[in-house]
């Protein structure tokens, strides 16, 4: 394989979030990048510099996870508001709500066929959901503390999860049982994921370490300690030969897994780096952090086209493929620490080639189209509430007429509102063409649906407890029944012995 090693370069930066960027993911089919933030909004960035970005409202608390579906027609987000939302990434802003957990949802991820979702939560559970039926499927409950992350294997047969109980667990999706548990952590396990071939898992910890395990032999292959603070997130390159990690030490580091060494340290963020993600083709990667910025980097350090490799991995059906180079090198586990030979890159983030894109704000939390998982509500089309540009001068289509925008505000042509109107928020009745009494009715319906789904969730929990108690009672009854039968058998045996003794003693009495 011929490869050309070049330094990664900062391609673009995206500013639009008002608080820390907690998660990011690339669309596999379209040139889009999604990011979630502590400002409770989801943003879809178009990689075309002239295209607009979309800001979606709906979550009521910090967004903790985001991911595009494999086809790219859906994007899912998780939040501290205990819900998961499934969005259509368009100007309509339609979404469906999963009342997922009884505590903060820390992560959400699609299966590689796009049919299932897996969520991890502070309620100590991992749950699997059906995307098309929008229903809960089953739960995995052996973690003893908050679950930070959960991911499907490429073939969908396994789920890996990690959490604050300092364990990484491997689950069989067919039997719903935990088949392995890795416990060699000095602190919380913060993130976990499978490599592209599905033969290894990597996990990071609050103890600044990153470990790679061979799940076929249950052996630790590589152990890195290159950060000076906890690792919050990492991402495998599609080839499986490289890995990027983001840390609270404000750096992004790039590891060469074949050589087992740190090759680059990137200093682009001002504050902890909370998320990193490679694009599906591996030619770009993104990072986000507490500075509310999303940075997009051009990979450069390996020019090999891995799309063919990805297609081969997606077509793999055999459970035990030939080992990948990552799996067999190095032959024994050993600690990799930071080396002076690594290249440090400190780009000037302000000197990027493009300005911040115009942002279209889509929907509000109340009027986003919602569908409760356990209900049957119809999807209500969300309405665009306001159109706000971060750079008002960039998106004006009629140059030289900005000063006349005030006199032309009453015209309803196909042209966008001019600079004077871009910051305005219109009343809901004007923007959505809905009468106010109808809007209030919709509001009451949505509130009643929320109450209904919460009630159903409580009933499900009580039903589960009842089933457990019933099983316990049936087990106790069976034990009592066995004990009673044993006692009856003993008593019958004693009677038979007494009768035999009586029969043997009667001739003596007659004599």
């Amino acid at each position: 394989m011929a490869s050309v090693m070049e330094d990664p370069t900062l391609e673009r930066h995206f500013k639009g979030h008002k608080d820390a960027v907690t998660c990011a993911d690339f669309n596999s089919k379209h040139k889009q990048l999604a990011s979630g933030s502590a400002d409770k909004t989801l943003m879809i960035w178009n990689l075309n510099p002239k295209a607009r970005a979309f800001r979606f409202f709906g979550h009521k608390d910090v967004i903790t996870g985001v991911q595009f579906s494999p086809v790219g027609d859906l994007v899912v987000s998780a939040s501290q508001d205990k819900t998961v939302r499934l969005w259509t990434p368009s100007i309509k802003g339609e979404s469906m709500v999963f009342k997922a957990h009884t505590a903060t949802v820390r992560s959400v991820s699609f299966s590689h066929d796009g049919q299932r979702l897996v969520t991890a939560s502070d309620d100590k559970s991992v749950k699997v959901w059906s995307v098309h039926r929008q229903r809960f499927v089953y739960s995995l409950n052996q973690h003893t503390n908050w679950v930070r992350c959960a991911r499907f294997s490429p073939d969908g047969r396994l789920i890996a999860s990690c959490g604050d109980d300092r364990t990484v667990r491997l689950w069989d999706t067919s039997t719903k049982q935990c088949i392995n548990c890795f416990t060699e952590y000095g602190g919380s396990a913060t993130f976990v994921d499978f490599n592209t071939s599905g033969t290894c898992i990597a996990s990071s910890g609050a103890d600044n370490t990153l470990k790679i395990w061979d799940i076929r032999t249950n052996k630790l292959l590589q152990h890195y300690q290159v950060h000076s603070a906890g690792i919050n997130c990492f991402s495998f390159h599609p080839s499986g030969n490289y890995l990027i990690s983001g840390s609270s030490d404000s750096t992004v580091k790039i590891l060469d897994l074949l050589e087992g060494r740190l090759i680059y340290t990137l200093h682009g963020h001002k504050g902890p780096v909370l998320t990193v993600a490679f694009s599906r083709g591996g030619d770009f990667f993104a990072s986000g952090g507490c500075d509310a910025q999303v940075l997009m980097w051009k990979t450069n350090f390996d020019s090999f086209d891995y799309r063919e490799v990805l297609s081969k991995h997606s077509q793999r059906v055999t459970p035990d493929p030939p080992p990948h180079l990552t799996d067999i090198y190095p032959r024994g586990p050993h600690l990799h620490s930071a080396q002076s030979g690594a290249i440090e890159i400190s780009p000037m983030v302000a000197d990027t080639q493009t300005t911040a894109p115009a942002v279209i704000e889509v929907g509000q939390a109340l009027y986003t189209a919602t569908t409760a998982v356990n209900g049957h509500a119809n999807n209500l089309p969300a309405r665009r509430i306001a159109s706000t540009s971060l750079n008002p001068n960039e998106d004006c289509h009629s140059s030289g007429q900005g000063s006349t925008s005030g006199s032309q505000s009453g015209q309803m042509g196909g042209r966008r509102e001019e600079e004077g109107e871009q910051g305005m928020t219109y009343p809901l009745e004007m923007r959505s063409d809905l009468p106010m009494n109808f809007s209030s009715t919709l509001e009451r319906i949505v509130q009643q649906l929320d109450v209904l789904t919460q009630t159903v969730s409580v009933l499900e929990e009580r039903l589960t407890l009842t089933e457990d108690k019933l099983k316990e009672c049936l087990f106790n009854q069976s034990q009592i029944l066995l004990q009673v039968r044993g006692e009856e058998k003993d008593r019958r045996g004693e009677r038979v012995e007494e009768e035999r003794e009586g029969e043997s003693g009667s001739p003596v009495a007659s004599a």
Side-chain angles (χ1 to χ4, degrees):
M1 179 184 72
S3 62
V4 179
M5 180 70 74
E6 294 183 14
D7 297 343
T9 56
L10 181 63
E11 189 78 4
R12 288 186 64 185
H13 78 298
F14 301 96
K15 289 186 176 180
H17 284 297
K18 300 176 182 178
D19 207 335
V21 178
T22 57
C23 48
D25 189 45
F26 284 90
N27 193 331
S28 59
K29 302 297 182 182
H30 309 287
K31 293 184 176 180
Q32 293 178 324
L33 172 65
S35 61
S37 170
D39 65 10
K40 310 176 188 178
T41 65
L42 168 72
M43 295 200 68
I44 306 292
W45 311 91
N46 285 288
L47 304 190
N48 182 352
K50 296 182 180 180
R52 301 169 184 152
F54 295 91
R55 179 185 285 116
F56 295 94
F57 294 91
H59 282 294
K60 300 176 182 178
D61 210 331
V62 175
I63 296 178
T64 55
V66 66
Q67 191 179 70
F68 278 102
S69 64
V71 179
D73 58 338
L74 297 172
V75 62
V76 67
S77 59
S79 171
Q80 289 186 13
D81 63 9
K82 308 177 187 178
T83 69
V84 168
R85 282 182 178 259
L86 200 60
W87 306 83
T88 302
S90 66
I91 195 171
K92 293 182 179 180
E94 296 176 348
S95 70
M96 293 172 290
V97 181
F98 294 78
K99 302 293 183 179
H101 291 268
T102 58
T104 295
V105 186
R106 291 291 174 183
S107 82
V108 62
S109 178
F110 280 97
S111 60
H112 284 246
D113 60 4
Q115 301 296 317
R116 297 289 175 93
L117 291 172
V118 61
T119 56
S121 169
D122 285 0
D123 63 10
K124 307 177 187 177
S125 71
V126 176
K127 292 186 178 182
V128 177
W129 308 81
S130 171
V131 174
H132 296 294
R133 295 185 179 181
Q134 302 157 26
R135 294 179 183 275
F136 167 76
V137 181
Y138 60 86
S139 180
L140 306 172
N141 301 285
Q142 287 191 25
H143 280 284
T144 58
N145 207 330
W146 294 355
V147 188
R148 293 286 182 177
C149 183
R151 290 290 187 270
F152 279 104
S153 63
D155 59 10
R157 299 181 183 182
L158 301 173
I159 290 175
S161 63
C162 67
D164 285 5
D165 58 2
R166 302 184 180 185
T167 67
V168 175
R169 292 183 178 271
L170 207 58
W171 310 83
D172 188 324
T173 57
S174 59
T175 63
K176 285 80 174 175
Q177 297 296 320
C178 179
I179 59 175
N180 208 342
C181 182
F182 304 98
T183 58
E184 298 179 15
Y185 288 89
S188 299
T190 56
F191 198 84
V192 66
D193 201 3
F194 289 85
N195 68 342
T196 312
S197 64
T199 56
C200 292
I201 59 169
S203 57
S204 59
D207 58 356
N208 314 350
T209 64
L210 187 143
K211 298 178 181 180
I212 300 177
W213 307 81
D214 187 331
I215 61 177
R216 299 166 300 179
T217 61
N218 299 331
K219 290 183 178 180
L220 177 65
L221 295 178
Q222 294 182 336
H223 179 193
Y224 294 91
Q225 192 163 3
V226 294
H227 285 284
S228 59
I231 300 173
N232 299 311
C233 186
F234 62 83
S235 178
F236 279 103
H237 189 271
S239 67
N241 298 336
Y242 300 96
L243 183 144
I244 54 175
S245 58
S247 167
S248 296
D249 63 9
S250 305
T251 67
V252 175
K253 293 186 183 283
I254 303 174
L255 305 174
D256 186 328
L257 301 181
L258 293 182
E259 298 185 7
R261 67 185 181 94
L262 172 67
I263 55 175
Y264 292 107
T265 299
L266 309 180
H267 300 269
H269 288 279
K270 299 177 181 178
V273 181
L274 303 180
T275 180
V276 291
F278 270 112
S279 64
R280 298 301 195 271
D283 44 354
F284 294 99
F285 62 94
S287 59
C290 290
D291 56 4
Q293 291 190 102
V294 180
L295 306 183
M296 188 177 75
W297 308 77
K298 189 171 178 59
T299 303
N300 291 336
F301 47 78
D302 200 326
S303 61
F304 187 76
D305 186 2
Y306 288 102
R307 288 182 177 84
E308 183 179 353
V309 177
L310 282 175
S311 64
K312 290 181 179 179
H313 282 311
S314 64
Q315 295 171 2
R316 179 176 64 82
V317 294
T318 56
D320 294 313
H324 193 272
L325 287 176
T326 306
D327 307 328
I328 61 176
Y329 185 92
R331 296 184 181 279
H334 57 279
L335 178 63
H336 302 272
S337 51
Q339 300 175 2
S340 59
I343 300 175
E344 304 220 359
I345 300 176
S346 303
M348 295 297 293
V349 177
D351 297 336
T352 51
Q353 300 174 356
T354 56
T355 56
V359 177
I360 298 177
E361 297 186 356
V362 182
Q364 291 288 356
L366 181 59
Y367 296 98
T368 302
T370 60
T371 300
V373 174
N374 297 305
H376 301 281
N378 295 325
N379 284 344
L380 303 175
R383 302 292 182 175
R384 175 180 165 188
I385 304 303
S387 177
T388 305
S389 174
L390 295 182
N391 189 354
N393 297 322
E394 182 181 336
D395 205 37
C396 292
H397 297 289
S398 53
S399 58
Q401 297 182 1
S403 60
T404 63
S405 61
S407 62
Q408 297 176 354
S409 60
Q411 300 178 0
M412 301 301 293
R415 184 169 56 85
R416 281 192 60 189
E417 292 85 0
E418 293 293 330
E419 190 173 291
E421 293 184 13
Q422 288 182 351
M424 298 179 63
T425 301
Y426 294 86
L428 181 65
E429 186 173 2
M430 181 185 301
R431 299 298 293 178
S432 63
D433 300 326
L434 293 176
M436 291 304 294
N437 57 352
F438 186 56
S439 300
S440 61
T441 303
L442 292 179
E443 178 180 351
R444 287 195 296 272
I445 291 174
V446 172
Q447 291 175 349
Q448 290 173 0
L449 287 174
D450 286 340
V451 173
L452 178 61
T453 52
Q454 290 174 4
T455 303
V456 171
S457 177
V458 172
L459 290 176
E460 284 182 346
E461 292 180 3
R462 291 181 178 177
L463 180 60
T464 302
L465 292 174
T466 304
E467 289 177 351
D468 293 340
K469 292 291 184 182
L470 182 59
K471 290 178 181 178
E472 185 179 354
C473 290
L474 291 174
F475 177 77
N476 292 335
Q477 286 181 355
S478 63
Q479 294 296 319
I480 293 172
L481 184 59
L482 291 174
Q483 184 178 357
V484 170
R485 288 178 178 175
E487 291 176 354
E488 290 180 352
K489 187 177 180 180
D490 293 340
R491 283 197 295 270
R492 284 198 300 268
E494 290 176 357
R495 284 199 218 98
V496 170
E497 291 294 333
E498 290 176 357
E499 290 175 357
R500 288 178 180 175
E501 290 177 357
E503 291 176 354
S504 60
S506 59
V508 176
S510 59

